[in-house]
Amino acid sequence: MTADVGEQVTDADLVAGYRRNPELFTAVYDRYFRDVYRYVAGRLGAQVAEDIAAETFLLAFDRRDRFALEKGALRPWLLGIATNLVARHRHKEARRYKALARLDPVPVVEGHENRVVTAATAQPYLAMALASLNGGERDVLLLLALGQLSYLEIAQALGISLGTVGSRLSRARAKIHALTDKETPHA
């Protein structure tokens, strides 16, 4: 994949390239692996993230001919695949947040993938609130927070409507707000 100097290679360019030559799918990997890894690491931890990120790209490569650019960009598509793989680990994810809620606060750890862990251990009630969310609510909230996707991209990633994204986020925020209000001292 090459572009003229100063030109940005678009997702459309990447898709056209790998459709002509499947070996060019490595450009998709190179561009988006870090995003997928950070998203999964924030949800399940660094130990599992590399395996799930790799599996995400393996599935994406196998399904590359089914990707429809008119339905969205590559990044939401890849994070949607990763979210489906994370779903296999939902019980582990909920247990992780519950365990984090029981830990003593720890100093801030550098690195994007540790952002949720740091926040959850610094505020154990946040970890309990995340554990209390159902899978759909947690997926939408963490695609927004960790995946840094827009509402439209979340809808594309999960194959749901914008209204469903909004209602799941609203319910997730209400649950977290209710639980954190009980825990935070008021002045």
Side-chain angles (χ1 to χ4, degrees):
M1 294 272 43
T2 59
D4 293 335
V5 176
E7 285 185 36
Q8 184 77 321
V9 176
T10 66
D11 281 0
D13 296 332
L14 291 174
V15 171
Y18 76 63
R19 287 204 171 130
R20 284 190 310 272
N21 180 358
E23 290 181 14
L24 295 177
F25 193 82
T26 57
V28 174
Y29 177 91
D30 292 343
R31 179 177 283 182
Y32 293 113
F33 180 84
R34 175 182 258 168
D35 292 338
V36 172
Y37 173 85
R38 281 193 301 222
Y39 169 68
V40 175
R43 292 193 69 168
L44 299 174
Q47 294 174 338
V48 180
E50 195 161 322
D51 290 339
I52 291 180
E55 190 175 353
T56 297
F57 283 91
L58 180 62
L59 285 171
F61 181 78
D62 288 344
R63 298 174 183 170
R64 69 190 180 279
D65 292 332
R66 291 186 259 165
F67 173 74
L69 194 57
E70 61 276 1
K71 290 186 177 180
L74 285 167
R75 187 168 169 264
W77 179 62
L78 292 165
L79 291 179
I81 293 170
T83 298
N84 290 334
L85 293 172
V86 166
R88 296 180 187 169
H89 299 274
R90 269 203 218 289
H91 297 296
K92 184 186 292 185
E93 181 184 38
R95 282 194 312 270
R96 180 170 183 254
Y97 287 129
K98 287 176 184 171
L100 288 171
R102 292 188 297 267
L103 294 176
D104 290 330
V106 295
V108 173
V109 180
E110 293 299 319
H112 178 79
E113 64 271 3
N114 293 316
R115 189 172 72 191
V116 169
V117 173
T118 301
T121 55
Q123 302 169 354
Y125 50 86
L126 179 58
M128 284 305 295
L130 287 170
S132 75
L133 300 178
N134 71 39
E137 294 162 347
R138 193 178 310 124
D139 287 345
V140 169
L141 181 67
L142 294 177
L143 279 168
L144 181 71
L146 293 176
Q148 299 176 340
L149 295 183
S150 69
Y151 282 35
L152 179 60
E153 290 172 323
I154 293 168
Q156 293 165 349
L158 298 177
I160 59 177
S161 72
L162 271 174
T164 302
V165 171
S167 64
R168 287 182 184 177
L169 273 173
S170 179
R171 284 193 309 270
R173 288 175 173 150
K175 286 179 182 178
I176 289 175
H177 184 70
L179 288 170
T180 56
D181 271 359
K182 290 178 187 175
E183 298 294 330
T184 44
H186 296 286

